[in-house]
Amino acid sequence: MFAALSPFKKKKEEPKEETTEKKPPPHIVSFKVGLPDMTMDAFDDEMQASFKADVATKLKVEPDDVDIEASAGSVNVDVKVSVADAEAASAVAASAEASKSDLVNPDTFGPCEVSGVEVVAPPPLVHDILTPGDMSRLKTFFDDEEVVKNDEGAIEKKEFVKLIKKIMKADGEKAPPEKDLTAAFVQADEDGGGSVDMAEFVSLYAKVKKGE
Protein backbone atom coordinates (compact mmCIF):
# COMPACT_ATOMS: atom_id res chain seq x y z
CA MET A 1 0.00 0.00 0.00
CA PHE A 2 2.72 2.49 0.95
CA ALA A 3 5.29 0.87 -1.35
CA ALA A 4 8.14 1.23 1.14
CA LEU A 5 7.32 4.93 1.38
CA SER A 6 9.52 5.56 -1.63
CA PRO A 7 8.91 9.33 -1.77
CA PHE A 8 10.76 9.73 1.50
CA LYS A 9 13.89 7.86 0.44
CA LYS A 10 14.95 10.44 -2.17
CA LYS A 11 17.46 8.25 -3.96
CA LYS A 12 18.19 10.81 -6.66
CA GLU A 13 21.02 8.78 -8.13
CA GLU A 14 18.56 6.10 -9.22
CA PRO A 15 16.72 6.73 -12.50
CA LYS A 16 13.00 7.20 -12.07
CA GLU A 17 11.04 4.21 -13.20
CA GLU A 18 8.50 4.74 -15.92
CA THR A 19 4.98 4.38 -14.61
CA THR A 20 2.10 3.12 -16.66
CA GLU A 21 -0.79 5.53 -16.96
CA LYS A 22 -3.55 4.69 -14.50
CA LYS A 23 -6.85 3.95 -16.16
CA PRO A 24 -9.78 5.93 -14.78
CA PRO A 25 -12.77 4.02 -13.41
CA PRO A 26 -15.08 2.98 -16.25
CA HIS A 27 -18.42 4.48 -17.13
CA ILE A 28 -21.20 1.91 -16.99
CA VAL A 29 -24.06 1.61 -19.45
CA SER A 30 -26.82 -0.41 -17.83
CA PHE A 31 -30.10 -1.69 -19.21
CA LYS A 32 -32.51 -4.60 -19.00
CA VAL A 33 -33.21 -7.16 -21.70
CA GLY A 34 -36.40 -9.17 -21.55
CA LEU A 35 -36.43 -12.57 -23.26
CA PRO A 36 -40.09 -13.62 -22.96
CA ASP A 37 -39.65 -16.88 -24.89
CA MET A 38 -36.57 -17.99 -22.93
CA THR A 39 -36.52 -20.02 -19.69
CA MET A 40 -33.82 -20.10 -17.05
CA ASP A 41 -33.23 -23.79 -17.73
CA ALA A 42 -32.49 -23.01 -21.36
CA PHE A 43 -30.42 -19.93 -20.47
CA ASP A 44 -27.44 -22.01 -19.37
CA ASP A 45 -23.76 -21.04 -19.34
CA GLU A 46 -23.34 -21.64 -23.05
CA MET A 47 -26.39 -19.53 -23.89
CA GLN A 48 -25.22 -16.77 -21.55
CA ALA A 49 -21.84 -16.70 -23.29
CA SER A 50 -23.60 -16.47 -26.63
CA PHE A 51 -25.83 -13.68 -25.27
CA LYS A 52 -22.79 -11.69 -24.11
CA ALA A 53 -21.10 -12.19 -27.48
CA ASP A 54 -24.21 -10.94 -29.33
CA VAL A 55 -24.46 -7.87 -27.08
CA ALA A 56 -20.75 -7.12 -27.47
CA THR A 57 -20.94 -7.41 -31.26
CA LYS A 58 -24.01 -5.21 -31.50
CA LEU A 59 -22.61 -2.52 -29.20
CA LYS A 60 -19.06 -2.78 -30.59
CA VAL A 61 -17.39 -3.61 -27.27
CA GLU A 62 -15.40 -6.56 -25.96
CA PRO A 63 -17.32 -9.51 -24.43
CA ASP A 64 -15.23 -9.17 -21.26
CA ASP A 65 -16.67 -5.66 -20.83
CA VAL A 66 -20.21 -7.04 -20.67
CA ASP A 67 -21.59 -8.29 -17.34
CA ILE A 68 -24.99 -9.94 -17.11
CA GLU A 69 -27.25 -11.22 -14.38
CA ALA A 70 -30.41 -13.14 -15.22
CA SER A 71 -33.50 -13.43 -13.04
CA ALA A 72 -35.91 -16.37 -12.89
CA GLY A 73 -39.21 -16.84 -14.68
CA SER A 74 -39.23 -15.67 -18.26
CA VAL A 75 -35.67 -14.48 -18.50
CA ASN A 76 -34.89 -10.86 -17.68
CA VAL A 77 -31.23 -9.95 -17.99
CA ASP A 78 -29.57 -7.03 -16.24
CA VAL A 79 -26.75 -5.92 -18.51
CA LYS A 80 -23.83 -3.67 -17.54
CA VAL A 81 -21.30 -2.60 -20.14
CA SER A 82 -18.02 -1.03 -19.00
CA VAL A 83 -16.57 1.64 -21.27
CA ALA A 84 -13.64 4.02 -20.98
CA ASP A 85 -15.26 7.45 -20.97
CA ALA A 86 -18.44 9.50 -21.28
CA GLU A 87 -18.24 9.74 -25.07
CA ALA A 88 -17.97 5.98 -25.48
CA ALA A 89 -20.76 5.48 -22.93
CA SER A 90 -23.09 7.76 -24.90
CA ALA A 91 -22.36 5.85 -28.11
CA VAL A 92 -23.02 2.47 -26.46
CA ALA A 93 -26.22 3.75 -24.84
CA ALA A 94 -27.44 5.06 -28.20
CA SER A 95 -26.71 1.71 -29.84
CA ALA A 96 -28.59 -0.12 -27.09
CA GLU A 97 -31.57 2.22 -27.48
CA ALA A 98 -31.55 1.69 -31.24
CA SER A 99 -31.39 -2.10 -30.83
CA LYS A 100 -34.67 -2.40 -28.97
CA SER A 101 -35.71 -5.69 -30.53
CA ASP A 102 -32.63 -7.07 -32.28
CA LEU A 103 -29.87 -6.72 -29.70
CA VAL A 104 -29.35 -10.48 -29.74
CA ASN A 105 -29.95 -13.14 -32.36
CA PRO A 106 -33.73 -13.84 -32.47
CA ASP A 107 -33.12 -17.30 -33.95
CA THR A 108 -31.27 -18.20 -30.74
CA PHE A 109 -33.06 -16.21 -28.06
CA GLY A 110 -36.43 -15.34 -29.56
CA PRO A 111 -37.72 -11.77 -29.32
CA CYS A 112 -36.01 -9.38 -26.94
CA GLU A 113 -37.08 -6.15 -25.30
CA VAL A 114 -34.47 -3.58 -24.25
CA SER A 115 -35.47 -1.08 -21.58
CA GLY A 116 -34.10 1.27 -18.94
CA VAL A 117 -30.94 2.30 -20.75
CA GLU A 118 -28.85 4.63 -18.59
CA VAL A 119 -25.26 5.77 -18.20
CA VAL A 120 -23.71 5.63 -14.73
CA ALA A 121 -20.64 7.85 -14.39
CA PRO A 122 -17.87 6.69 -12.06
CA PRO A 123 -17.42 8.47 -8.74
CA PRO A 124 -14.70 11.15 -8.79
CA LEU A 125 -11.20 10.21 -7.71
CA VAL A 126 -9.94 11.84 -4.52
CA HIS A 127 -6.72 13.78 -5.24
CA ASP A 128 -7.12 12.55 -8.84
CA ILE A 129 -5.97 9.03 -7.92
CA LEU A 130 -7.77 7.49 -4.94
CA THR A 131 -10.76 5.29 -5.71
CA PRO A 132 -13.74 4.75 -3.40
CA GLY A 133 -12.13 1.43 -2.48
CA ASP A 134 -8.92 3.20 -1.47
CA MET A 135 -10.85 5.69 0.64
CA SER A 136 -12.89 3.00 2.35
CA ARG A 137 -9.77 1.02 3.22
CA LEU A 138 -7.91 4.05 4.56
CA LYS A 139 -10.91 5.05 6.66
CA THR A 140 -11.20 1.52 8.08
CA PHE A 141 -7.57 1.57 9.20
CA PHE A 142 -7.63 5.15 10.49
CA ASP A 143 -10.92 4.79 12.37
CA ASP A 144 -9.96 1.52 14.05
CA GLU A 145 -10.64 1.82 17.78
CA GLU A 146 -7.11 0.61 18.51
CA VAL A 147 -5.70 3.75 16.85
CA VAL A 148 -5.34 6.32 19.64
CA LYS A 149 -6.36 9.83 18.60
CA ASN A 150 -6.13 13.21 20.30
CA ASP A 151 -9.07 15.49 21.09
CA GLU A 152 -9.15 16.69 17.48
CA GLY A 153 -9.39 13.14 16.13
CA ALA A 154 -5.82 13.21 14.80
CA ILE A 155 -2.92 10.83 15.44
CA GLU A 156 0.48 11.80 16.79
CA LYS A 157 3.81 10.45 15.61
CA LYS A 158 3.86 7.26 17.70
CA GLU A 159 0.40 6.22 16.52
CA PHE A 160 1.22 7.28 12.94
CA VAL A 161 4.25 4.98 12.86
CA LYS A 162 2.25 2.09 14.35
CA LEU A 163 -0.53 2.64 11.81
CA ILE A 164 1.81 2.70 8.81
CA LYS A 165 3.48 -0.49 10.02
CA LYS A 166 0.09 -2.16 10.50
CA ILE A 167 -1.05 -1.24 7.00
CA MET A 168 2.18 -2.36 5.38
CA LYS A 169 2.08 -5.65 7.30
CA ALA A 170 -1.47 -6.22 6.06
CA ASP A 171 -0.17 -5.67 2.53
CA GLY A 172 2.69 -8.11 3.04
CA GLU A 173 5.28 -5.33 2.86
CA LYS A 174 8.27 -4.73 5.12
CA ALA A 175 8.14 -1.47 7.06
CA PRO A 176 10.93 1.02 6.24
CA PRO A 177 13.42 2.32 8.82
CA GLU A 178 12.24 4.64 11.58
CA LYS A 179 13.94 7.63 9.97
CA ASP A 180 11.82 7.19 6.85
CA LEU A 181 8.67 6.86 8.92
CA THR A 182 9.63 10.05 10.76
CA ALA A 183 10.15 11.81 7.43
CA ALA A 184 6.74 10.53 6.32
CA PHE A 185 5.11 11.92 9.44
CA VAL A 186 6.72 15.33 8.91
CA GLN A 187 5.51 15.41 5.32
CA ALA A 188 2.02 14.26 6.30
CA ASP A 189 1.73 16.90 9.04
CA GLU A 190 0.94 19.63 6.53
CA ASP A 191 -0.05 22.28 9.08
CA GLY A 192 2.89 21.54 11.38
CA GLY A 193 0.57 20.92 14.31
CA GLY A 194 2.38 17.82 15.52
CA SER A 195 -0.38 15.41 14.51
CA VAL A 196 -1.95 13.97 11.36
CA ASP A 197 -5.70 13.97 10.77
CA MET A 198 -7.61 11.83 8.29
CA ALA A 199 -7.41 14.43 5.51
CA GLU A 200 -3.63 14.71 5.88
CA PHE A 201 -3.29 10.93 6.00
CA VAL A 202 -5.28 10.62 2.78
CA SER A 203 -3.17 13.33 1.16
CA LEU A 204 0.01 11.47 2.08
CA TYR A 205 -1.26 8.21 0.62
CA ALA A 206 -2.28 9.99 -2.60
CA LYS A 207 1.24 11.40 -2.96
CA VAL A 208 2.80 8.00 -2.35
CA LYS A 209 0.46 6.36 -4.84
CA LYS A 210 1.33 9.00 -7.44
CA GLY A 211 5.04 8.48 -6.76
CA GLU A 212 5.58 12.11 -5.83
Side-chain angles (χ1 to χ4, degrees):
M1 181 179 181
F2 281 90
L5 291 170
S6 55
F8 313 112
K9 294 194 177 256
K10 299 182 179 178
K11 295 182 179 177
K12 293 184 178 179
E13 68 276 7
E14 295 181 2
K16 187 175 181 179
E17 295 182 3
E18 293 185 6
T19 56
T20 56
E21 185 177 351
K22 179 180 175 61
K23 293 182 179 180
H27 285 62
I28 303 295
V29 180
S30 66
F31 52 90
K32 294 183 180 296
V33 179
L35 302 173
D37 290 356
M38 181 68 60
T39 65
M40 284 300 294
D41 287 341
F43 199 59
D44 56 18
D45 290 346
E46 183 177 350
M47 289 291 280
Q48 290 183 36
S50 180
F51 179 92
K52 288 179 64 174
D54 281 3
V55 171
T57 299
K58 194 71 175 183
L59 301 184
K60 299 179 180 178
V61 298
E62 295 296 324
D64 286 346
D65 293 330
V66 179
D67 289 324
I68 64 172
E69 183 175 344
S71 56
S74 60
V75 177
N76 290 286
V77 186
D78 290 318
V79 181
K80 293 183 179 180
V81 182
S82 300
V83 293
D85 52 41
E87 183 178 356
S90 295
V92 168
S95 295
E97 287 278 10
S99 304
K100 287 288 187 182
S101 59
D102 63 347
L103 181 67
V104 292
N105 187 344
D107 293 336
T108 303
F109 299 98
C112 74
E113 302 167 355
V114 177
S115 62
V117 179
E118 64 175 349
V119 175
V120 181
L125 297 176
V126 177
H127 295 298
D128 298 321
I129 196 167
L130 302 182
T131 66
D134 291 328
M135 292 299 297
S136 176
R137 189 161 187 261
L138 287 173
K139 190 174 188 307
T140 297
F141 276 112
F142 195 88
D143 288 349
D144 191 298
E145 61 183 13
E146 293 183 358
V147 178
V148 179
K149 303 175 183 67
N150 61 21
D151 293 340
E152 286 76 41
I155 56 176
E156 298 180 358
K157 180 184 172 183
K158 182 178 179 181
E159 285 300 312
F160 175 88
V161 169
K162 286 169 58 179
L163 181 56
I164 295 294
K165 288 181 176 179
K166 181 177 180 180
I167 293 172
M168 296 186 75
K169 182 178 180 180
D171 290 342
E173 298 176 3
K174 183 179 179 180
E178 290 291 324
K179 65 178 182 178
D180 290 330
L181 293 171
T182 297
F185 177 79
V186 171
Q187 182 168 346
D189 183 15
E190 296 175 355
D191 61 4
S195 61
V196 173
D197 60 20
M198 179 63 182
E200 290 173 324
F201 194 72
V202 167
S203 178
L204 171 72
Y205 179 44
K207 290 174 182 176
V208 173
K209 196 170 183 182
K210 289 177 181 178
E212 294 181 356

